[in-house]
Amino acid sequence: NVWQKVTGPTVLGPLTGGGPDRDPTTNPVTQIYDNTANDARYYVGPIGSGNDQYYYGDPRIGGDGYLDSTADNKYGDDVIYYKNANGDMTTENPNDIVSVNVNPNIVTVIKGGTQTFTAQVLTRGNGANSDGVTWKVSPAGTGTSIDQNGVLTIGAGETNTTLTVTATSKKTSTISGAATVTVTDDPNAVKSVAINPSDVQVQKGSTQTFTATVTKNNGSTDGAGVTWTVSPAGGGTSIDQNGKLTVGDSETNATLTVTATSKTDPTVKSAAAVTVTAKPITDTPDIADDGSGNGGRVLTDDQTGDGKWVEIARNGGYSLIVRANYINTYSNGHYNDPSWQILNYASQAYKGSSVNNAINNWFNGANISGNQDKLSATARLRQFTVQNNAISALGTASTTAGMTNGFSKPTNVKIPSGSNDVAFALSYGEVANFCSITHDIRGANPQMQPSSNIATKNFAKITVPQVYEYGAWLRSSGDVSGTMGALDYTGRTFQFQLSSSTSSESGLVYPALWVDSAIFN
């Protein structure tokens, strides 16, 4: 197959590529989703099988715009690409060995005693390699040796006070890890710290409890315990002194190291390897909160390049954020005057409406003139925006069903620019559950229901002008003909009339986005 890179659903148009004769009919052309900035435009592949698959591609930078290779041979200026765990194309093989972790990595062993070591061989893609390691100890005095199961024996006549145990990858002999061994005559000295588990996967936003056993050279347990640390620790990641690790929702490090250090002898410690995994994307997002009931996080202008944005929900390592202020849609002056920035929906449908078009124009910088707002082409926000299904998850305002039938859902496909419906208006269900003070439910008693305390805290972080007729338009149609969902300045979400005979048919536009939660780091 020949693959052409696209950054989201789009009309591909005429294609070139397909081998040295550049005839696409010789190799069927298929789209591939991939969003790396400096990758190729065309690929042939996958070539090989299993974990060893790769592609030939024409480089975006330095390439001639044509795919010269076939599946049998690489030609011209094409280079080899690999698909990593995120679905991106890269010239770095994710199966390359990058490190070897030895456990325990600092230990004290009595003369005549033994110590068993284990080794974890990690690849660039954060997977474990099963080819194993070669063990070595140096310097090694009389009677000191290590077998290929990692069992170190210290000779009774060992004269060296410090030894180094090395585990070298069998697949890549230039990559190794080491442990430091202190040799002692004291049977009461701390020998080792053992962590359980020593190798574990932990999902973002989840916890894992570790235990540690401190053993003396005489085989007894040292009761003083250990000090726990974790590094590197990204946003929200920490470990308490009971060994409970919390991996933050915004953690960007793929691997962490949890270390338990003996309180009796701080030179003796051991480490556990933690592989950080993404949370699965579900059909129902969670309300965003800091864990203390204060609501979601706030992004500053430095973090977005577009002023203040507020996190109101989370799903699978992604955050639903809404602009804290409306966008200016009027081109001829009156900037930040809400009475000039209002729009009429005109019809009871979000797709193709004035609100939908205004948000798409703002995101893509299209059809913008005068004082109309647009998202800067260099805004940091663009680096984290992802594709979503908001355009097909519209929901219904002011109904029980509307509380759950309008949840949008992110994907892992980054869309920095050039696509419609990446940015969107919030739905009734999203506002009622995540960002409001009250919400209306038709037929309920009372009809106006209180929203959650966290939703109230989130609403307090956005700015809706305190004029009744200027609420924020939603993408959900009302349950009554001629209405669309809206959120007014009091924090009440219900629906506005679309009829021009009333003063309440006009509303302001507040774009929302699904973004990678790493934007908060």
Side-chain angles (χ1 to χ4, degrees):
N1 290 323
V2 172
W3 308 74
Q4 180 186 6
K5 173 187 170 178
V6 295
T7 56
T10 185
V11 177
L12 296 181
L15 300 178
T16 57
D21 55 2
R22 299 172 180 172
D23 180 359
T25 63
T26 64
N27 295 89
V29 178
T30 309
Q31 65 189 38
I32 183 169
Y33 284 96
D34 174 36
N35 301 281
T36 311
N38 296 316
D39 57 7
R41 281 173 289 228
Y42 304 101
Y43 306 94
V44 61
I47 302 166
S49 60
N51 292 329
D52 296 320
Q53 289 187 341
Y54 58 95
Y55 300 77
Y56 297 138
D58 176 65
R60 171 176 292 276
I61 298 176
D64 60 6
Y66 296 98
L67 182 67
D68 302 307
S69 302
T70 67
D72 297 321
N73 290 288
K74 181 170 70 70
Y75 293 108
D77 57 6
D78 294 350
V79 298
I80 297 176
Y81 288 89
Y82 305 87
K83 187 184 291 188
N84 64 21
N86 296 323
D88 295 331
M89 293 301 234
T90 173
T91 55
E92 295 181 327
N93 189 343
N95 296 312
D96 284 346
I97 304 300
V98 293
S99 66
V100 176
N101 296 331
V102 177
N103 189 46
N105 61 339
I106 300 178
V107 66
T108 299
V109 183
I110 194 171
K111 293 178 181 179
T114 63
Q115 173 67 46
T116 299
F117 295 87
T118 60
Q120 182 189 38
V121 183
L122 294 178
T123 65
R124 178 174 283 108
N126 296 323
N129 177 268
S130 59
D131 292 339
V133 298
T134 301
W135 292 98
K136 178 182 177 181
V137 59
S138 65
T142 303
T144 295
S145 64
I146 189 167
D147 66 21
Q148 292 311 302
N149 293 314
V151 179
L152 172 69
T153 300
I154 304 294
E158 179 61 70
T159 57
N160 296 293
T161 57
T162 303
L163 310 176
T164 299
V165 169
T166 303
T168 302
S169 165
K170 289 182 177 180
K171 181 179 179 180
T172 307
S173 60
T174 57
I175 305 296
S176 62
T180 300
V181 180
T182 300
V183 180
T184 182
D185 293 312
D186 183 3
N188 289 310
V190 172
K191 175 184 179 182
S192 64
V193 176
I195 294 182
N196 186 45
S198 60
D199 181 12
V200 66
Q201 293 186 346
V202 183
Q203 202 175 90
K204 292 181 182 181
S206 300
T207 62
Q208 170 69 47
T209 299
F210 294 85
T211 59
T213 302
V214 183
T215 304
K216 298 179 181 180
N217 276 314
N218 61 15
S220 65
T221 299
D222 180 73
V226 298
T227 300
W228 293 98
T229 56
V230 59
S231 67
T237 295
S238 63
I239 191 167
D240 66 21
Q241 291 311 302
N242 294 315
K244 183 178 180 180
L245 171 71
T246 300
V247 178
D249 285 310
S250 301
E251 181 60 70
T252 56
N253 295 293
T255 57
L256 308 174
T257 300
V258 169
T259 303
T261 302
S262 165
K263 290 183 177 179
T264 299
D265 184 355
T267 65
V268 182
K269 61 187 69 176
S270 188
V274 179
T275 300
V276 179
T277 61
K279 296 176 70 173
I281 297 173
T282 64
D283 290 334
T284 304
D286 298 317
I287 193 168
D289 184 45
D290 65 354
S292 300
N294 297 313
R297 293 165 288 187
V298 173
L299 290 165
T300 66
D301 183 64
D302 287 341
Q303 293 172 298
T304 67
D306 186 65
K308 176 182 171 184
W309 285 69
V310 178
E311 178 192 39
I312 64 172
R314 298 170 186 158
N315 194 349
Y318 299 91
S319 295
L320 175 58
I321 62 174
V322 62
R323 202 173 194 260
N325 294 287
Y326 59 84
I327 58 174
N328 287 268
T329 60
Y330 186 66
S331 61
N332 298 321
H334 303 282
Y335 196 76
N336 286 340
D337 181 347
S339 62
W340 286 87
Q341 309 305 331
I342 55 176
L343 290 179
N344 296 328
Y345 242 108
S347 64
Q348 196 175 11
Y350 175 69
K351 180 65 175 178
S353 68
S354 59
V355 176
N356 179 218
N357 291 337
I359 291 176
N360 283 332
N361 291 342
W362 165 85
F363 183 75
N364 292 318
N367 304 312
I368 295 294
S369 62
N371 290 327
Q372 292 175 316
D373 284 333
K374 67 178 179 180
L375 181 62
S376 169
T378 60
R380 183 173 181 267
L381 197 58
R382 292 191 182 277
Q383 301 174 29
F384 301 90
T385 56
V386 296
Q387 186 180 354
N388 59 78
N389 70 338
I391 194 64
S392 60
L394 301 176
T396 308
S398 304
T399 66
T400 300
M403 294 294 291
T404 57
N405 68 5
F407 290 138
S408 59
K409 185 166 65 173
T411 73
N412 62 1
V413 179
K414 289 185 178 178
I415 308 291
S417 61
S419 294
N420 285 334
D421 303 321
V422 176
F424 52 91
L426 293 173
S427 72
Y428 175 81
E430 289 164 345
V431 170
N433 285 282
F434 309 136
C435 184
S436 59
I437 296 176
T438 61
H439 55 275
D440 282 32
I441 299 294
R442 189 82 64 192
N445 186 19
Q447 178 172 303
M448 186 187 298
Q449 298 283 313
S451 302
S452 71
N453 288 335
I454 297 175
T456 298
K457 292 290 182 66
N458 286 336
F459 174 76
K461 297 172 185 176
I462 68 173
T463 301
V464 179
Q466 295 189 17
V467 182
Y468 176 77
E469 61 266 31
Y470 303 144
W473 281 124
L474 307 181
R475 68 177 186 274
S476 304
S477 60
D479 66 325
V480 175
S481 177
T483 61
M484 289 296 292
L487 171 67
D488 76 7
Y489 80 91
T490 69
R492 178 189 180 191
T493 182
F494 58 117
Q495 52 203 35
F496 280 177
Q497 293 289 333
L498 300 181
S499 170
S500 59
S501 63
T502 72
S503 61
S504 61
E505 84 282 0
S506 299
L508 298 163
V509 180
Y510 289 73
L513 289 164
W514 277 104
V515 296
D516 189 322
S517 295
I519 193 173
F520 290 94
N521 293 345

